Amino acid sequence: MLKNGIPSAISSAALPAAIRPDDIPFGITLLAPAGKDAMLAGIGRVFHADTKLKMGAKCLTQPPLAALPAAAGSDEITIAVVGAHLSGMALNGELQALGGRLLEEATTASDYKLYALDTTPPKPGMLRVDAGVGHSIKLELWALSAAAFGKFVAAIPPPLGIGTIRLADGRGVKGFVVEPVAIEGARDISSFGGWRAFMAEKAGV
């Protein structure tokens, strides 16, 4: 691709498209500005599945196109919630009122502890600890617009604060962590593996 007569950087993806009447394969190439490789790959996977072409020398049938996990948009921020903002729980409506979208359930890396803070309503406090002495804690990932994220964070009272939470798959996401001083006297509920299980036990479920 030329821009003002000078080659410019592009992304490209070559795709099989059809088999001609003379049994010669025919393909297409998708082009996009540099850095749009993921976008082209997404278009390509759908296009290739739609052709229903056979695969390889054995002419194998393409497997069904698997659904991609939900992901935050380019104008959204992913936030991890671990307590009453979980779906179906008391404060989840606050996330929904801000236009939040549930992306997926996930777990932290195994270097966190979860505490039941002495607050009303009950809140959890999650604290990162040394490797080998923590647990994996279940949570949910939600997507919020930048403006909604700001409103959500501003409404969360101390001793909770925003920090980076490390997930079991190595990703780092924004989420609420507790100040170490706040866990003095709080019950360690890490063995429940998450706030939902702890609240179920409290309710006698």
Side-chain angles (χ1 to χ4, degrees), residues 4 44 74 92 162 167 170 178 199:
N4 297 326
S74 59
N92 182 253
I162 195 72
L167 302 181
V178 71
M199 292 301 286

Side-chain angles (χ1 to χ4, degrees), residues 140-168:
E140 289 178 350
L141 302 182
W142 285 72
L144 289 170
S145 69
F149 176 82
K151 292 179 182 178
F152 183 63
V153 171
I156 301 297
L160 299 179
I162 195 72
T164 298
I165 295 173
R166 193 163 66 93
L167 302 181

Side-chain angles (χ1 to χ4, degrees), residues 34-57:
K36 298 295 184 180
D37 303 79
M39 180 188 73
L40 290 182
I43 296 171
R45 70 185 288 273
V46 175
F47 176 87
H48 185 226
D50 194 56
T51 66
K52 296 182 173 56
L53 290 171
K54 299 296 183 179
M55 300 189 304

Side-chain angles (χ1 to χ4, degrees), residues 13-185:
L15 304 170
I19 300 296
R20 299 186 336 192
D22 58 0
D23 288 333
I24 300 298
F26 171 79
I28 63 172
T29 300
L30 303 180
L31 301 175
K36 298 295 184 180
D37 303 79
M39 180 188 73
L40 290 182
I43 296 171
R45 70 185 288 273
V46 175
F47 176 87
H48 185 226
D50 194 56
T51 66
K52 296 182 173 56
L53 290 171
K54 299 296 183 179
M55 300 189 304
K58 295 185 178 181
C59 293
L60 301 176
T61 300
Q62 292 188 50
L65 188 64
L68 291 174
S74 59
D75 59 344
E76 292 180 314
I77 296 172
T78 300
I79 186 166
V81 297
V82 71
H85 288 98
L86 292 166
S87 55
M89 303 200 76
L91 300 181
N92 182 253
E94 294 180 1
L95 273 174
Q96 296 192 41
L98 290 168
R101 296 187 300 112
L102 175 62
L103 299 178
E104 61 178 294
E105 296 180 346
T107 58
T108 68
S110 57
D111 48 2
Y112 286 88
K113 284 195 172 183
L114 191 67
Y115 294 87
L117 304 180
D118 186 16
T119 59
T120 303
K123 291 186 181 73
M126 192 163 65
L127 183 69
R128 189 167 182 180
V129 295
D130 292 334
V133 298
H135 295 256
S136 292
I137 307 298
K138 292 181 180 179
L139 46 73
E140 289 178 350
L141 302 182
W142 285 72
L144 289 170
S145 69
F149 176 82
K151 292 179 182 178
F152 183 63
V153 171
I156 301 297
L160 299 179
I162 195 72
T164 298
I165 295 173
R166 193 163 66 93
L167 302 181
D169 62 8
R171 286 178 293 168
V173 297
K174 297 183 185 302
F176 291 100
V177 293
V178 71
E179 299 169 7
V181 67
I183 65 171
E184 293 180 10

